[in-house]
Amino acid sequence: MTSDALRINFDRLQQDLEHLASIGRREDHGIYRMAFSDGDMAAREWLRGRIEEAGLEYHQDGAANIFARLGWDGSHASVMTGSHMDSVPGAGHLDGALGVLVSLECLRRIKELDLPLGRPLEAVAFTDEEGRFGGMFGSQAVSGRLTPESIYTARDLDGVTLTEAMQARGLNAMDALRARRTANSIHAFLELHIEQGPVLDRNHIGIGAVDAIAGLFRWQACFLGAANHAGTTPMDMRNDAFQGLAEAAGEIPRILEEDGSARSVATIGRVELSPGAANVVPGRADFSLEVRDTDPSVLDHLSQAFRKSLSAIARRRGLMFEFQVVSELAPVKCDPGIVEAVGAAARDLGAESLVMASGAAHDTQMMAGLTRAGMIFVPSKDGRSHSPAEWTPWEDIELGANVALNTLYRLAR
Ligand SMILES: [Zn+2]
């Protein structure tokens, strides 16, 4: 371990994490900070206070993204770091919040050490990453992906529009179009986040250097057969839609092995059989299929392989196979220089790191379209997330924050 590696003030970070974890928490121990809810607004107000106490410049853009700035002069490209403070309903205390508070602590530490900076620093808390109104609203705004239509039509599950929710907080949703940043105003973007998966925890490795974020395609699909009497229809005279689906599910490992990569995953997460009675042969099996990988050409191959394989199953069983693509998200590559910088920062701190993919979507996915971007993962205990059971040991948080600080300083020096 080299002694010149920078260190964050861990006690201060710990206090901030514990305080933020109390905002929006309910009796079930879950955190409720959905975008523009009371919990979210209280967290925003608290964060503003912390930024001002630290003597950093506070800025809020048109998408209600909150920034702390150090050395900002509006003319030099900044190094930006951050994540989100909003949550899913019943969330844990670290998803997003950890990245925001580590970012704030990094800027505070660099300021109090009076370290020379070659570039301004920005710590950001993005709006609605978790998707009350669709997801990654703040980072989409910054990376210029919003349109007046996408803002106007965004609504939550209760039918509340984004426009109404922002208006209730004194904000104009259309101002989000003005949050767009130019590519040359940001030199690099770094996000620290909990892994939300079991890989680091299982391997007892403290740091993940994320080299890619998986993309996906999602199908709404169905096998169509014929509903019939379950007692009188002999097995060889059935067109059982569920039998087709069961065979398809069993084929998943083979398809991934033959046409995917080591990073491919596929999930049938929702199934509905019709008519849906114990004594009726199912005539129809509707299901979702979601496939993820970090390589666009692998996703293409997999899409063709699933199409071929499921059509063949249908033919053999006298069924019809139909599907509709309901969403597609392109994979994103992280900047190799940032992946390297994360690994080097971990080495300087005497820690092991693992180059790995992110299976979950993050704000970095949007920011990577605008600037060089990278992510640091810290372990999630048992891979748990989006639940109050979400946990990362304090020593892993401290290490992750120190890696973030040293990576950030490398990028901004
Ligand atoms: Zn998150």
Side-chain angles (χ1 to χ4, degrees), residues 261-282:
S261 76
R263 289 178 162 182
S264 304
V265 290
T267 308
I268 294 174
R270 205 191 62 81
V271 169
E272 199 180 340
L273 302 181
S274 311
N279 58 359
V280 182
V281 175

Side-chain angles (χ1 to χ4, degrees), residues 101-116:
L101 294 181
V102 164
S103 300
L104 173 64
E105 175 55 28
C106 288
L107 265 63
R108 271 192 306 225
R109 194 69 187 131
I110 289 170
K111 182 180 187 326
E112 72 193 2
L113 292 172
D114 205 16
L115 298 172

Side-chain angles (χ1 to χ4, degrees), residues 3-187:
S3 54
D4 57 355
L6 303 169
R7 312 280 164 150
I8 49 103
N9 179 335
F10 179 63
D11 288 343
R12 185 167 57 190
L13 175 62
Q14 188 171 24
Q15 276 168 29
D16 277 355
L17 281 164
E18 282 169 351
H19 190 93
L20 182 54
S22 72
I23 301 177
R25 187 183 284 277
R26 295 192 189 160
E27 308 79 67
D28 63 1
H29 299 289
I31 299 219
Y32 293 77
R33 288 199 305 260
M34 296 72 76
F36 304 113
S37 65
D38 289 349
D40 183 36
M41 298 314 289
R44 289 165 172 277
E45 201 184 307
W46 172 79
L47 183 66
R48 178 180 190 147
R50 293 304 280 153
I51 291 169
E52 287 172 349
E53 270 168 56
L56 298 165
E57 187 189 330
Y58 171 88
H59 172 70
Q60 181 171 314
D61 71 11
N65 296 313
I66 291 176
F67 296 83
R69 286 171 166 172
L70 179 62
W72 179 261
D73 60 7
S75 63
H76 290 89
S78 67
V79 174
M80 191 186 285
T81 175
S83 193
H84 60 94
M85 282 200 307
D86 70 303
S87 77
V88 295
H93 65 302
L94 295 172
D95 182 352
L98 179 62
V100 171
L101 294 181
V102 164
S103 300
L104 173 64
E105 175 55 28
C106 288
L107 265 63
R108 271 192 306 225
R109 194 69 187 131
I110 289 170
K111 182 180 187 326
E112 72 193 2
L113 292 172
D114 205 16
L115 298 172
L117 285 176
R119 304 175 194 282
L121 285 173
E122 296 184 272
V124 61
F126 286 118
T127 298
D128 194 29
E129 192 273 347
E130 293 288 10
R132 177 181 173 195
F133 296 102
M136 297 195 246
F137 175 70
S139 51
Q140 287 197 68
V142 169
S143 57
R145 291 168 198 250
L146 296 179
T147 62
E149 291 76 15
S150 68
I151 296 171
Y152 186 72
T153 55
R155 57 180 63 230
D156 70 9
L157 292 173
D158 298 323
V160 178
T161 65
L162 175 65
T163 307
E164 290 163 346
M166 288 185 72
Q167 203 163 47
R169 304 300 182 178
L171 300 163
N172 179 350
M174 285 300 163
D175 284 348
L177 293 169
R178 297 209 299 247
R180 177 179 200 154
R181 292 278 291 266
T182 60
N184 55 19
S185 77
I186 306 174
H187 171 71

